[in-house]
Amino acid sequence: MLLHIGLDDTDSPTGGCTTYIAAILVEKLTHLGVNFIDYPHLIRLNPNIPWKTRGNGSICLRVEAHEGIEGEIKKTVIEAVEAFSDYECENTNPGIVFYKGDDIPMSLKDFALKVVQGVVSLEDALDLINDVGGTAIGYKNMRGIIGATAAIGNCLEEDHSYEFIAYRSPEHRCKIRVIDEKSVYEMDEAMRGETFNNVDRKKNRILITPHGPDPVIFGVRGESAESVRKAGFMIKVGEEIERWVIFRTNQGTDAHLQKRIKISDVKRYYPAVIEVEVVSKPKIIDGGHVIFQTRDETGYIDCAAYEPTGDFREVVRSLINGDSVRVYGGVKSAQETLNLEKIEVLKPARIVKMENPYCPRCGGRMESMGRGGGFRCRKCRFKDPSLSKIQSESPRSLALGIYLPTPSAQRHLTKPLERYGKEKSTYKLRMLEEPWHWP
Ligand code: ATP
Protein backbone atom coordinates (compact mmCIF):
# COMPACT_ATOMS: atom_id res chain seq x y z
CA MET A 1 0.00 0.00 0.00
CA LEU A 2 1.01 3.61 -0.55
CA LEU A 3 0.17 5.93 2.31
CA HIS A 4 0.38 9.73 2.03
CA ILE A 5 0.68 11.55 5.37
CA GLY A 6 -0.05 15.28 5.52
CA LEU A 7 0.90 17.42 8.54
CA ASP A 8 0.49 21.11 9.34
CA ASP A 9 0.18 23.82 11.97
CA THR A 10 2.12 22.29 14.83
CA ASP A 11 4.44 25.13 15.80
CA SER A 12 4.22 28.55 17.40
CA PRO A 13 6.47 31.61 17.44
CA THR A 14 8.01 30.31 20.68
CA GLY A 15 9.08 26.92 19.41
CA GLY A 16 8.62 23.86 17.27
CA CYS A 17 8.57 23.34 13.54
CA THR A 18 6.47 20.99 11.45
CA THR A 19 9.56 20.01 9.45
CA TYR A 20 11.15 18.79 12.70
CA ILE A 21 8.19 16.45 13.31
CA ALA A 22 8.71 15.23 9.75
CA ALA A 23 12.40 14.58 10.51
CA ILE A 24 11.49 12.65 13.69
CA LEU A 25 8.95 10.64 11.71
CA VAL A 26 11.46 9.81 8.98
CA GLU A 27 13.55 8.10 11.64
CA LYS A 28 10.64 6.42 13.44
CA LEU A 29 8.87 5.20 10.29
CA THR A 30 12.12 3.90 8.83
CA HIS A 31 12.51 1.80 12.01
CA LEU A 32 9.00 0.48 11.44
CA GLY A 33 10.15 -0.80 8.05
CA VAL A 34 8.38 1.58 5.65
CA ASN A 35 9.92 2.59 2.34
CA PHE A 36 9.88 6.30 1.50
CA ILE A 37 8.87 6.61 -2.15
CA ASP A 38 9.98 10.24 -2.29
CA TYR A 39 11.79 12.77 -0.14
CA PRO A 40 9.49 14.36 2.44
CA HIS A 41 7.68 17.22 0.72
CA LEU A 42 7.87 20.67 2.27
CA ILE A 43 5.03 22.60 0.66
CA ARG A 44 4.83 26.34 1.16
CA LEU A 45 1.26 27.62 0.99
CA ASN A 46 -0.20 31.07 0.22
CA PRO A 47 2.20 33.47 1.98
CA ASN A 48 -0.50 36.12 2.43
CA ILE A 49 -2.54 34.05 4.89
CA PRO A 50 -2.65 36.11 8.10
CA TRP A 51 -2.97 33.15 10.47
CA LYS A 52 0.36 31.56 9.51
CA THR A 53 3.07 31.31 12.17
CA ARG A 54 6.05 32.01 9.94
CA GLY A 55 6.52 30.62 6.48
CA ASN A 56 3.17 28.83 5.96
CA GLY A 57 4.83 25.47 5.41
CA SER A 58 3.14 22.07 5.40
CA ILE A 59 4.53 18.56 5.09
CA CYS A 60 3.71 15.35 3.23
CA LEU A 61 5.43 12.00 3.80
CA ARG A 62 4.75 9.37 1.12
CA VAL A 63 5.48 5.80 2.22
CA GLU A 64 5.11 2.27 0.95
CA ALA A 65 4.39 -0.38 3.58
CA HIS A 66 2.56 -3.64 4.33
CA GLU A 67 -1.11 -3.20 5.11
CA GLY A 68 -0.34 -4.95 8.40
CA ILE A 69 1.58 -1.99 9.81
CA GLU A 70 -0.86 0.73 8.71
CA GLY A 71 -2.23 1.05 12.23
CA GLU A 72 1.26 1.26 13.70
CA ILE A 73 2.29 3.96 11.18
CA LYS A 74 -0.77 6.08 12.01
CA LYS A 75 -0.21 5.67 15.75
CA THR A 76 3.42 6.75 15.37
CA VAL A 77 2.41 9.85 13.40
CA ILE A 78 -0.30 10.85 15.87
CA GLU A 79 2.03 10.35 18.84
CA ALA A 80 4.75 12.49 17.24
CA VAL A 81 2.35 15.33 16.43
CA GLU A 82 0.90 15.20 19.94
CA ALA A 83 4.34 15.13 21.54
CA PHE A 84 5.87 17.96 19.52
CA SER A 85 3.01 20.40 18.86
CA ASP A 86 2.76 23.60 20.84
CA TYR A 87 -0.85 23.40 22.04
CA GLU A 88 -0.45 26.40 24.37
CA CYS A 89 -0.33 28.85 21.47
CA GLU A 90 -3.76 30.10 20.42
CA ASN A 91 -2.71 30.11 16.78
CA THR A 92 -1.50 26.49 16.72
CA ASN A 93 -4.19 24.15 15.39
CA PRO A 94 -2.55 20.92 14.26
CA GLY A 95 -3.92 18.79 11.46
CA ILE A 96 -3.00 15.30 10.23
CA VAL A 97 -4.41 13.76 7.05
CA PHE A 98 -3.93 10.19 5.78
CA TYR A 99 -4.67 9.21 2.20
CA LYS A 100 -4.14 5.66 0.93
CA GLY A 101 -3.77 5.14 -2.82
CA ASP A 102 -1.29 4.72 -5.66
CA ASP A 103 -2.33 7.96 -7.35
CA ILE A 104 -3.39 11.30 -6.00
CA PRO A 105 -6.89 12.21 -7.31
CA MET A 106 -7.24 15.31 -9.49
CA SER A 107 -9.60 16.87 -6.92
CA LEU A 108 -6.81 16.78 -4.30
CA LYS A 109 -4.34 18.28 -6.78
CA ASP A 110 -6.78 21.10 -7.63
CA PHE A 111 -7.36 21.80 -3.96
CA ALA A 112 -3.60 21.95 -3.35
CA LEU A 113 -3.23 24.57 -6.08
CA LYS A 114 -5.95 26.70 -4.49
CA VAL A 115 -4.21 26.60 -1.11
CA VAL A 116 -1.01 27.95 -2.67
CA GLN A 117 -2.78 30.50 -4.88
CA GLY A 118 -5.79 31.46 -2.78
CA VAL A 119 -7.83 30.98 0.37
CA VAL A 120 -9.94 27.92 1.21
CA SER A 121 -12.15 26.89 4.12
CA LEU A 122 -11.81 24.01 6.55
CA GLU A 123 -15.21 22.73 5.36
CA ASP A 124 -13.86 22.46 1.80
CA ALA A 125 -10.92 20.42 3.07
CA LEU A 126 -13.08 18.12 5.20
CA ASP A 127 -15.60 17.54 2.36
CA LEU A 128 -12.78 16.70 -0.01
CA ILE A 129 -11.13 14.24 2.38
CA ASN A 130 -14.50 12.60 2.79
CA ASP A 131 -15.01 12.41 -0.99
CA VAL A 132 -11.63 10.82 -1.69
CA GLY A 133 -11.81 8.45 1.27
CA GLY A 134 -9.02 9.97 3.35
CA THR A 135 -8.87 10.39 7.12
CA ALA A 136 -8.36 13.66 8.96
CA ILE A 137 -7.43 14.29 12.57
CA GLY A 138 -7.61 17.86 13.83
CA TYR A 139 -6.77 19.51 17.13
CA LYS A 140 -8.29 22.69 18.58
CA ASN A 141 -9.92 24.60 15.68
CA MET A 142 -8.41 21.97 13.30
CA ARG A 143 -7.24 24.52 10.72
CA GLY A 144 -4.04 22.54 10.13
CA ILE A 145 -6.14 20.01 8.20
CA ILE A 146 -6.24 22.52 5.32
CA GLY A 147 -2.47 22.60 4.92
CA ALA A 148 -2.12 18.86 5.59
CA THR A 149 -4.59 18.11 2.77
CA ALA A 150 -2.86 20.55 0.43
CA ALA A 151 0.53 18.95 1.14
CA ILE A 152 -0.82 15.56 0.03
CA GLY A 153 -2.35 17.06 -3.13
CA ASN A 154 0.80 18.91 -4.18
CA CYS A 155 2.93 16.23 -5.85
CA LEU A 156 5.63 18.68 -7.05
CA GLU A 157 5.27 17.34 -10.57
CA GLU A 158 6.60 20.48 -12.19
CA ASP A 159 9.11 23.02 -10.91
CA HIS A 160 10.58 22.19 -7.50
CA SER A 161 13.72 22.58 -5.43
CA TYR A 162 15.37 20.86 -2.46
CA GLU A 163 16.38 21.82 1.06
CA PHE A 164 18.85 20.14 3.40
CA ILE A 165 17.71 20.97 6.94
CA ALA A 166 19.88 20.27 10.00
CA TYR A 167 18.29 20.25 13.46
CA ARG A 168 19.71 20.93 16.92
CA SER A 169 19.24 18.87 20.04
CA PRO A 170 16.67 20.14 22.58
CA GLU A 171 19.26 21.41 25.11
CA HIS A 172 20.50 23.95 22.54
CA ARG A 173 17.12 25.35 21.48
CA CYS A 174 17.35 28.57 23.46
CA LYS A 175 21.03 29.19 22.76
CA ILE A 176 22.44 31.33 19.98
CA ARG A 177 23.32 29.25 16.92
CA VAL A 178 27.06 28.92 16.44
CA ILE A 179 27.71 28.74 12.72
CA ASP A 180 31.07 29.33 11.10
CA GLU A 181 29.99 32.12 8.73
CA LYS A 182 33.13 31.70 6.65
CA SER A 183 32.07 28.14 5.84
CA VAL A 184 28.71 29.48 4.61
CA TYR A 185 30.38 32.00 2.27
CA GLU A 186 32.78 29.30 1.04
CA MET A 187 29.91 26.91 0.39
CA ASP A 188 28.00 29.66 -1.41
CA GLU A 189 31.00 30.29 -3.64
CA ALA A 190 31.64 26.60 -4.33
CA MET A 191 27.98 25.72 -4.95
CA ARG A 192 27.01 28.78 -6.97
CA GLY A 193 24.30 27.92 -9.49
CA GLU A 194 23.44 24.74 -7.60
CA THR A 195 22.19 26.35 -4.38
CA PHE A 196 20.41 29.66 -3.79
CA ASN A 197 19.75 32.31 -1.14
CA ASN A 198 22.53 31.21 1.19
CA VAL A 199 23.75 34.73 1.88
CA ASP A 200 22.67 38.31 1.34
CA ARG A 201 25.93 39.83 0.15
CA LYS A 202 24.58 43.38 0.09
CA LYS A 203 23.48 43.15 3.70
CA ASN A 204 26.50 41.04 4.63
CA ARG A 205 24.27 38.44 6.26
CA ILE A 206 24.01 34.69 6.09
CA LEU A 207 20.48 33.51 5.35
CA ILE A 208 20.64 29.79 6.08
CA THR A 209 19.87 30.10 9.80
CA PRO A 210 16.57 31.05 11.39
CA HIS A 211 16.64 33.36 14.41
CA GLY A 212 13.96 32.02 16.71
CA PRO A 213 13.98 29.23 19.31
CA ASP A 214 12.95 26.58 16.78
CA PRO A 215 14.86 23.33 16.26
CA VAL A 216 16.40 24.23 12.88
CA ILE A 217 20.13 25.00 12.92
CA PHE A 218 20.36 25.74 9.22
CA GLY A 219 18.79 24.92 5.86
CA VAL A 220 20.48 24.99 2.46
CA ARG A 221 18.30 25.32 -0.62
CA GLY A 222 19.21 24.15 -4.07
CA GLU A 223 18.44 22.55 -7.39
CA SER A 224 19.03 18.88 -6.60
CA ALA A 225 19.22 16.51 -3.65
CA GLU A 226 22.89 15.90 -4.51
CA SER A 227 23.76 19.59 -4.39
CA VAL A 228 21.99 20.42 -1.13
CA ARG A 229 23.52 17.36 0.52
CA LYS A 230 27.00 18.34 -0.59
CA ALA A 231 26.40 21.95 0.47
CA GLY A 232 24.92 20.95 3.83
CA PHE A 233 28.04 18.94 4.66
CA MET A 234 30.22 21.98 3.94
CA ILE A 235 28.65 24.03 6.76
CA LYS A 236 30.67 24.06 9.97
CA VAL A 237 28.50 24.18 13.08
CA GLY A 238 29.64 24.71 16.68
CA GLU A 239 27.09 22.38 18.24
CA GLU A 240 25.89 18.85 17.84
CA ILE A 241 23.57 18.19 14.89
CA GLU A 242 20.77 16.02 16.22
CA ARG A 243 19.44 15.04 12.78
CA TRP A 244 19.19 16.18 9.16
CA VAL A 245 16.82 15.50 6.28
CA ILE A 246 16.58 16.46 2.61
CA PHE A 247 13.16 17.78 1.61
CA ARG A 248 11.71 18.22 -1.87
CA THR A 249 9.84 21.49 -1.98
CA ASN A 250 8.08 24.22 -3.95
CA GLN A 251 10.35 26.88 -2.43
CA GLY A 252 11.85 29.32 -4.90
CA THR A 253 9.39 28.43 -7.68
CA ASP A 254 6.88 31.33 -7.69
CA ALA A 255 4.15 28.68 -7.40
CA HIS A 256 1.84 31.27 -5.83
CA LEU A 257 2.37 33.87 -8.58
CA GLN A 258 1.05 32.06 -11.63
CA LYS A 259 -2.30 33.75 -12.27
CA ARG A 260 -2.45 37.11 -14.05
CA ILE A 261 -5.38 39.22 -12.98
CA LYS A 262 -6.83 42.73 -13.30
CA ILE A 263 -6.94 45.29 -10.51
CA SER A 264 -10.69 44.77 -10.10
CA ASP A 265 -10.01 41.07 -9.32
CA VAL A 266 -7.59 41.77 -6.44
CA LYS A 267 -8.76 40.05 -3.28
CA ARG A 268 -7.48 40.36 0.24
CA TYR A 269 -5.01 37.56 1.17
CA TYR A 270 -4.71 36.38 -2.45
CA PRO A 271 -1.50 36.66 -4.46
CA ALA A 272 -1.75 39.02 -7.45
CA VAL A 273 0.12 39.47 -10.73
CA ILE A 274 -1.10 42.56 -12.59
CA GLU A 275 0.05 44.51 -15.62
CA VAL A 276 -0.30 48.18 -14.72
CA GLU A 277 0.73 51.71 -15.61
CA VAL A 278 2.42 53.88 -12.99
CA VAL A 279 0.30 56.97 -12.36
CA SER A 280 2.01 58.67 -9.42
CA LYS A 281 5.58 59.53 -8.52
CA PRO A 282 6.78 57.00 -5.90
CA LYS A 283 7.09 58.62 -2.49
CA ILE A 284 9.01 57.62 0.60
CA ILE A 285 6.91 57.40 3.74
CA ASP A 286 7.84 57.04 7.43
CA GLY A 287 9.95 53.96 8.02
CA GLY A 288 11.61 54.17 4.60
CA HIS A 289 8.82 52.41 2.71
CA VAL A 290 8.12 53.48 -0.88
CA ILE A 291 4.54 53.80 -2.19
CA PHE A 292 3.19 54.61 -5.65
CA GLN A 293 -0.13 54.41 -7.44
CA THR A 294 -0.89 52.35 -10.52
CA ARG A 295 -3.88 51.70 -12.78
CA ASP A 296 -5.21 49.39 -15.43
CA GLU A 297 -8.45 49.56 -17.39
CA THR A 298 -10.41 48.25 -14.37
CA GLY A 299 -9.21 50.57 -11.58
CA TYR A 300 -6.40 51.88 -9.39
CA ILE A 301 -4.17 50.23 -6.79
CA ASP A 302 -1.34 51.47 -4.55
CA CYS A 303 1.83 49.38 -4.50
CA ALA A 304 4.39 49.34 -1.68
CA ALA A 305 8.02 48.31 -1.40
CA TYR A 306 8.80 48.04 2.30
CA GLU A 307 12.03 49.05 4.01
CA PRO A 308 13.46 45.51 4.44
CA THR A 309 13.39 45.03 0.64
CA GLY A 310 16.61 47.09 0.52
CA ASP A 311 17.88 48.26 -2.87
CA PHE A 312 14.65 47.10 -4.48
CA ARG A 313 13.22 50.41 -3.25
CA GLU A 314 15.71 52.29 -5.43
CA VAL A 315 14.30 50.59 -8.51
CA VAL A 316 10.78 51.38 -7.35
CA ARG A 317 11.73 54.99 -6.65
CA SER A 318 13.02 55.40 -10.18
CA LEU A 319 9.59 54.66 -11.68
CA ILE A 320 7.77 57.54 -13.32
CA ASN A 321 4.27 58.21 -14.58
CA GLY A 322 3.51 56.20 -17.69
CA ASP A 323 5.90 53.30 -16.95
CA SER A 324 4.36 49.99 -17.89
CA VAL A 325 5.18 47.33 -15.29
CA ARG A 326 3.99 43.96 -14.07
CA VAL A 327 3.59 43.97 -10.29
CA TYR A 328 3.67 40.77 -8.20
CA GLY A 329 2.56 40.62 -4.59
CA GLY A 330 -0.33 40.23 -2.21
CA VAL A 331 -2.87 42.33 -0.40
CA LYS A 332 -2.97 41.91 3.34
CA SER A 333 -4.55 44.98 4.80
CA ALA A 334 -7.99 46.52 4.48
CA GLN A 335 -6.33 49.51 2.77
CA GLU A 336 -5.71 47.24 -0.22
CA THR A 337 -2.12 48.19 -0.87
CA LEU A 338 -0.27 45.59 -2.91
CA ASN A 339 2.86 44.50 -1.01
CA LEU A 340 5.41 44.09 -3.77
CA GLU A 341 7.28 40.82 -4.00
CA LYS A 342 8.69 41.47 -7.43
CA ILE A 343 8.36 43.92 -10.31
CA GLU A 344 8.90 43.48 -14.02
CA VAL A 345 9.59 46.57 -16.09
CA LEU A 346 7.77 46.04 -19.41
CA LYS A 347 8.06 49.44 -21.08
CA PRO A 348 9.62 52.45 -19.43
CA ALA A 349 7.95 55.75 -20.31
CA ARG A 350 9.98 58.16 -22.46
CA ILE A 351 10.98 61.48 -20.92
CA VAL A 352 10.55 63.88 -23.81
CA LYS A 353 11.18 67.62 -23.46
CA MET A 354 10.63 70.49 -25.94
CA GLU A 355 13.57 72.93 -25.79
CA ASN A 356 14.59 76.16 -27.47
CA PRO A 357 16.94 75.54 -30.43
CA TYR A 358 20.69 76.30 -30.49
CA CYS A 359 21.93 79.27 -32.56
CA PRO A 360 23.02 78.13 -36.06
CA ARG A 361 25.66 80.87 -36.04
CA CYS A 362 27.37 80.74 -32.59
CA GLY A 363 25.88 77.61 -30.94
CA GLY A 364 24.41 79.55 -28.00
CA ARG A 365 20.98 78.83 -26.59
CA MET A 366 18.21 80.87 -28.29
CA GLU A 367 15.14 82.52 -26.79
CA SER A 368 11.64 82.79 -28.16
CA MET A 369 10.49 86.00 -29.85
CA GLY A 370 6.89 85.30 -29.00
CA ARG A 371 4.30 82.87 -30.33
CA GLY A 372 5.06 82.11 -34.02
CA GLY A 373 7.81 84.76 -34.04
CA GLY A 374 10.81 82.47 -34.25
CA PHE A 375 13.94 82.57 -32.08
CA ARG A 376 16.77 85.03 -31.25
CA CYS A 377 20.21 84.08 -29.94
CA ARG A 378 20.87 85.32 -26.41
CA LYS A 379 24.59 85.64 -27.15
CA CYS A 380 25.04 86.97 -30.70
CA ARG A 381 21.47 88.30 -31.21
CA PHE A 382 21.10 86.34 -34.47
CA LYS A 383 17.39 86.06 -35.38
CA ASP A 384 15.55 83.39 -37.37
CA PRO A 385 11.72 83.58 -37.59
CA SER A 386 11.55 80.10 -39.20
CA LEU A 387 13.07 78.19 -36.23
CA SER A 388 10.88 76.16 -33.86
CA LYS A 389 11.39 74.21 -30.60
CA ILE A 390 13.40 70.99 -30.73
CA GLN A 391 12.49 67.69 -29.08
CA SER A 392 14.99 66.04 -26.72
CA GLU A 393 14.75 62.75 -24.80
CA SER A 394 16.37 62.17 -21.40
CA PRO A 395 17.85 58.72 -20.92
CA ARG A 396 16.27 56.39 -18.32
CA SER A 397 18.43 54.40 -15.91
CA LEU A 398 15.66 51.80 -15.58
CA ALA A 399 16.25 48.75 -17.78
CA LEU A 400 13.63 46.25 -18.89
CA GLY A 401 13.51 43.14 -16.76
CA ILE A 402 12.68 41.59 -13.41
CA TYR A 403 13.65 43.14 -10.08
CA LEU A 404 13.43 41.42 -6.72
CA PRO A 405 13.86 42.53 -3.10
CA THR A 406 17.20 41.81 -1.47
CA PRO A 407 17.42 38.04 -0.73
CA SER A 408 16.81 38.46 3.02
CA ALA A 409 13.39 40.01 2.21
CA GLN A 410 12.31 37.40 -0.32
CA ARG A 411 9.52 34.99 0.55
CA HIS A 412 10.13 31.24 0.68
CA LEU A 413 8.11 30.80 -2.51
CA THR A 414 9.67 33.68 -4.44
CA LYS A 415 11.80 32.51 -7.36
CA PRO A 416 15.23 34.09 -6.92
CA LEU A 417 16.92 35.54 -9.99
CA GLU A 418 19.51 32.75 -10.08
CA ARG A 419 16.72 30.18 -10.57
CA TYR A 420 15.44 31.78 -13.79
CA GLY A 421 16.08 29.34 -16.62
CA LYS A 422 16.49 26.42 -14.20
CA GLU A 423 12.76 25.65 -13.85
CA LYS A 424 11.98 21.94 -13.99
CA SER A 425 8.96 20.93 -16.04
CA THR A 426 8.83 17.29 -15.01
CA TYR A 427 9.87 15.09 -12.13
CA LYS A 428 11.36 11.65 -12.45
CA LEU A 429 11.57 9.96 -9.10
CA ARG A 430 15.17 9.14 -8.30
CA MET A 431 16.24 8.94 -4.69
CA LEU A 432 19.89 9.47 -3.79
CA GLU A 433 21.99 6.36 -3.36
CA GLU A 434 23.71 8.00 -0.41
CA PRO A 435 21.59 8.56 2.72
CA TRP A 436 19.13 11.46 2.42
CA HIS A 437 18.49 11.64 6.16
CA TRP A 438 20.23 10.98 9.44
CA PRO A 439 19.63 9.11 11.71
P1 ATP B 1 4.03 25.45 10.79
O1 ATP B 1 5.49 25.18 10.72
O2 ATP B 1 3.40 25.08 12.09
O3 ATP B 1 3.33 24.81 9.66
P2 ATP B 1 3.53 27.99 9.50
O4 ATP B 1 4.16 29.31 9.48
O5 ATP B 1 3.77 27.14 8.33
O6 ATP B 1 3.89 27.09 10.74
P3 ATP B 1 0.94 27.48 10.35
O7 ATP B 1 1.16 27.58 11.81
O8 ATP B 1 0.90 26.15 9.71
O9 ATP B 1 2.02 28.34 9.62
O10 ATP B 1 -0.37 28.30 10.02
C1 ATP B 1 -0.98 28.34 8.79
C2 ATP B 1 -2.43 27.86 8.92
O11 ATP B 1 -3.15 28.38 7.84
C3 ATP B 1 -2.56 26.35 8.87
O12 ATP B 1 -3.56 25.97 9.77
C4 ATP B 1 -3.01 26.08 7.44
O13 ATP B 1 -3.81 24.92 7.35
C5 ATP B 1 -3.78 27.34 7.14
N1 ATP B 1 -3.71 27.72 5.73
C6 ATP B 1 -2.61 27.72 4.96
N2 ATP B 1 -2.87 28.14 3.72
C7 ATP B 1 -4.19 28.41 3.69
C8 ATP B 1 -5.08 28.88 2.68
N3 ATP B 1 -4.63 29.14 1.45
N4 ATP B 1 -6.37 29.04 2.98
C9 ATP B 1 -6.81 28.79 4.23
N5 ATP B 1 -6.04 28.35 5.23
C10 ATP B 1 -4.73 28.15 4.97
Side-chain angles (χ1 to χ4, degrees), residues 7-12 16-19 44-46 49 51-58 91-93 114-121 141-148:
L7 308 173
D8 196 16
D9 209 343
T10 64
D11 68 353
S12 72
C17 177
T18 309
T19 71
R44 298 287 178 181
L45 309 171
N46 179 357
I49 291 295
W51 44 86
K52 66 178 182 177
T53 307
R54 277 184 296 260
N56 208 5
S58 59
N91 217 10
T92 300
N93 301 286
K114 279 193 202 140
V115 185
V116 174
Q117 298 182 351
V119 183
V120 300
S121 70
N141 79 15
M142 309 203 295
R143 194 155 49 206
I145 289 175
I146 297 173

Side-chain angles (χ1 to χ4, degrees), residues 263-420:
I263 289 177
S264 57
D265 302 324
V266 170
K267 279 197 268 184
R268 204 168 164 190
Y269 307 144
Y270 278 68
V273 180
I274 330 168
E275 205 171 307
V276 292
E277 181 192 332
V278 176
V279 291
S280 81
K281 190 171 147 49
K283 60 171 190 261
I284 307 175
I285 59 166
D286 280 355
H289 317 305
V290 180
I291 312 272
F292 62 100
Q293 197 184 40
T294 65
R295 74 155 176 232
D296 69 5
E297 65 276 23
T298 68
Y300 290 80
I301 193 164
D302 283 345
C303 297
Y306 291 104
E307 191 278 332
T309 60
D311 284 359
F312 179 63
R313 289 170 306 158
E314 294 309 313
V315 175
V316 170
R317 275 184 64 197
S318 72
L319 294 170
I320 60 168
N321 283 17
D323 280 343
S324 167
V325 291
R326 190 171 289 131
V327 288
Y328 298 76
V331 173
K332 271 198 189 154
S333 63
Q335 291 84 34
E336 301 227 329
T337 297
L338 189 83
N339 301 340
L340 285 178
E341 251 180 82
K342 162 159 106 169
I343 195 163
E344 189 173 351
V345 176
L346 301 172
K347 192 165 181 245
R350 295 168 65 206
I351 307 176
V352 177
K353 280 191 295 196
M354 297 307 286
E355 293 178 328
N356 292 350
Y358 292 101
C359 173
R361 190 189 281 165
C362 76
R365 184 66 92 173
M366 301 181 89
E367 63 190 5
S368 169
M369 294 192 293
R371 209 176 164 75
F375 287 83
R376 172 177 51 218
C377 179
R378 281 192 192 127
K379 237 164 129 191
C380 71
R381 311 311 286 170
F382 172 77
K383 288 181 191 164
D384 188 340
S386 68
L387 286 178
S388 51
K389 288 208 176 224
I390 51 168
Q391 186 176 303
S392 79
E393 187 165 346
S394 307
R396 295 284 308 274
S397 58
L398 188 66
L400 293 183
I402 290 178
Y403 297 90
L404 292 182
T406 196
S408 58
Q410 288 171 19
R411 293 186 183 283
H412 296 291
L413 275 171
T414 304
K415 180 159 67 179
L417 288 178
E418 58 263 51
R419 282 215 72 240
Y420 280 78

